Amino acid sequence: MWREARGKLLQVLLGPTVRHQIMSSEMLPAFSETCNVERQKNLSEDGEQNQKPGSSERFQPISKRQMKKLMKQKQWEEQRELRKQKRKEKRKRKQLERQCQPESNSDGSDRKRIRRDVVHSPLRLIIDCSFDSLMVLKDIKKLHKQIQRCYAENRRALHPVQFYLTSHGGQLKKNMDENDKGWVNWKDIHIKPEHYSEFIQKEDLIYLTSDSPNILKELDESKAYVIGGLVDHNHHKGLTYKQASDHGIDHAQLPLGNFVKMNSRKVLAVNHVFEIILEYLETRDWQEAFFTILPQRKGAVPTDQACESCSHDKKFARVEGGLNSDSSEEENRHELDSTHEEEKQDKENSTESTVNSVPH
């Protein structure tokens, strides 16, 4: 009793706000329990609604696009066995073709078998990269691509040469490090930072340059042939010839003029010279080597055909000249005849006039 009276007295003294706080603190656990129960009920109801779709969703019509997709999927499933059968037939047909096809050495299909028949040539072929400072980056990149082509062709050749890359450094090495990191793993190639004259005897060297007066007739496989690694677009004319002369090295040019007539200049790219030598080692025929390697844009024509076409043009010009002279003679004759006729008519007219003027 005393406690209840004390509680009422406190309520009266403290006022309504404190009374509300006391009530809320006493009723808080019960209130939180009721909230949790209601929340669980709401969640269970939402789950049931999600599991049971509404009537509007069940009767929603399918669009034409969805219908087409369903039809295609159905056809795909139905034709599964048919596709499997076709694949089996194709495999069998290819297998029969491989069995019936004879073994061939052409192209690169049987490259592994071809590589067994390779005979390495003792001929040394050097690309001199000492012109690095004379080229801009664009030309350095072109030279890099040409060297890549030389390496690939030498690896595929039936008679690969002893390939040397000398004076390797500067812009070229930097470009290769950045764009072709695999060059350090290249096989059958000697890449050296030194100049070729430091490890090859001068007597064995022959510098290939289009400015040389000496024409190469045969390849001596005991020699080392040097190709100038320079892409200059004809800015440095005669530079390789001058360098060979200054170093006291023998020089020569490929016998291009003896077999080929070209529309463009006789200066060839590094990879073209390299590939022509590889082709000659295989065929031992300069003309065949030139026409196998030279690109069509060079307009290469055999010299005998070029001579025939020249003689034909001259004959044609003579015939045309003769026809023109004949026609001019005929025209002159016609003019003379016409003048004679005019003179005769004038004479006749004058005689008639004199006769008429005489008195009878």
Side-chain angles (χ1 to χ4, degrees):
M1 292 289 289
W2 180 80
R3 287 181 180 177
E4 289 177 2
R6 185 183 172 187
K8 287 178 181 179
L9 181 62
L10 285 169
Q11 288 176 8
V12 171
L13 292 171
L14 295 173
T17 55
V18 178
R19 283 203 308 270
H20 177 71
Q21 287 176 0
I22 292 166
M23 285 175 65
S24 61
S25 63
E26 289 174 356
M27 294 171 64
L28 185 61
F31 180 74
S32 62
E33 286 179 5
T34 55
C35 287
N36 289 333
V37 170
E38 287 178 2
R39 194 179 296 151
Q40 287 176 359
K41 283 181 181 179
N42 291 332
L43 288 170
S44 63
E45 287 175 2
D46 291 339
E48 288 175 0
Q49 285 179 1
N50 291 332
Q51 286 176 0
K52 295 179 181 180
S55 60
S56 61
E57 289 180 357
R58 254 184 298 179
F59 297 105
Q60 190 175 1
I62 299 171
S63 64
K64 288 183 179 179
R65 188 176 290 178
Q66 287 174 338
M67 185 69 76
K68 284 180 181 178
K69 283 183 180 178
L70 289 170
M71 291 291 289
K72 283 182 180 178
Q73 190 174 0
K74 188 179 177 183
Q75 286 177 358
W76 179 266
E77 293 293 334
E78 287 175 355
Q79 294 176 358
R80 188 187 293 275
E81 293 297 325
L82 182 64
R83 289 196 303 275
K84 195 184 286 185
Q85 181 100 20
K86 283 184 178 179
R87 283 197 296 270
K88 283 183 181 178
E89 289 175 0
K90 191 176 180 180
R91 280 198 295 269
K92 286 180 181 178
R93 190 168 63 251
K94 283 187 175 181
Q95 192 174 0
L96 287 170
E97 284 176 2
R98 281 196 295 269
Q99 288 174 358
C100 297
Q101 203 172 27
E103 293 182 353
S104 62
N105 288 338
S106 61
D107 301 328
S109 57
D110 301 327
R111 190 176 291 173
K112 287 185 179 178
R113 191 162 60 81
I114 286 173
R115 290 293 292 177
R116 291 192 215 117
D117 302 331
V118 165
V119 178
H120 288 267
S121 171
L123 184 142
R124 289 160 290 177
L125 201 51
I126 302 162
I127 296 179
D128 176 19
C129 304
S130 62
F131 307 100
D132 191 88
S133 59
L134 300 175
M135 290 183 284
V136 296
L137 183 59
K138 184 181 176 182
D139 295 334
I140 289 286
K141 288 181 177 179
K142 286 182 180 178
L143 177 62
H144 177 205
K145 287 182 180 178
Q146 291 176 10
I147 290 168
Q148 284 178 321
R149 183 69 182 266
C150 294
Y151 173 74
E153 291 299 324
N154 194 49
R155 292 279 292 167
R156 281 198 289 264
L158 287 174
H159 301 288
V161 296
Q162 308 300 313
F163 187 12
Y164 285 82
L165 202 64
T166 63
S167 301
H168 184 250
Q171 296 182 87
L172 179 63
K173 185 179 182 299
K174 185 181 177 183
N175 186 70
M176 290 173 74
D177 288 334
E178 290 174 357
N179 302 313
D180 185 18
K181 293 178 182 177
W183 71 268
V184 293
N185 299 319
W186 284 1
K187 299 175 182 177
D188 301 327
I189 184 170
H190 309 281
I191 301 175
K192 295 182 177 292
E194 298 88 11
H195 193 262
Y196 56 85
S197 60
E198 294 182 23
F199 55 89
I200 296 177
Q201 293 179 359
K202 192 182 288 186
E203 296 78 19
D204 294 340
L205 290 166
I206 297 174
Y207 212 114
L208 296 174
T209 170
S210 60
D211 299 305
S212 173
N214 306 322
I215 295 173
L216 198 67
K217 294 180 180 179
E218 293 287 335
L219 286 175
D220 186 352
E221 296 194 39
S222 65
K223 298 287 186 181
Y225 293 88
V226 185
I227 303 169
L230 178 63
V231 179
D232 66 333
H233 307 285
N234 215 19
H235 294 311
H236 303 282
K237 292 182 180 178
L239 183 63
T240 52
Y241 173 63
K242 185 177 181 299
Q243 192 180 69
S245 302
D246 292 344
H247 284 88
I249 298 167
D250 290 339
H251 46 78
Q253 63 167 298
L254 295 177
L256 196 64
N258 295 348
F259 299 94
V260 180
K261 177 77 174 176
M262 290 198 305
N263 296 333
S264 60
R265 59 199 180 109
K266 291 194 296 181
V267 179
L268 303 177
V270 172
N271 61 297
H272 290 156
V273 178
F274 196 100
E275 291 173 48
I276 285 166
I277 289 172
L278 289 177
E279 189 68 25
Y280 177 78
L281 290 173
E282 185 177 342
T283 60
R284 296 291 170 178
D285 186 342
W286 282 118
Q287 185 164 335
E288 188 177 343
F290 288 136
F291 284 98
T292 304
I293 303 303
L294 288 175
Q296 290 182 352
R297 68 175 182 274
K298 292 283 186 181
V301 178
T303 49
D304 50 358
Q305 288 184 16
C307 293
E308 285 176 7
S309 63
C310 289
S311 61
H312 178 71
D313 292 339
K314 285 179 182 178
K315 286 179 183 178
F316 187 69
R318 285 174 187 169
V319 170
E320 279 189 342
L323 289 171
N324 291 331
S325 62
D326 292 341
S327 61
S328 62
E329 286 177 3
E330 287 178 1
E331 286 176 359
N332 291 331
R333 285 174 187 171
H334 284 302
E335 287 178 359
L336 288 169
D337 292 338
S338 62
T339 51
H340 284 305
E341 287 178 359
E342 287 176 358
E343 287 177 356
K344 283 180 182 179
Q345 286 179 0
D346 291 337
K347 285 179 181 179
E348 287 176 358
N349 291 331
S350 62
T351 51
E352 285 178 1
S353 61
T354 51
V355 168
N356 292 328
S357 63
V358 173
H360 294 286

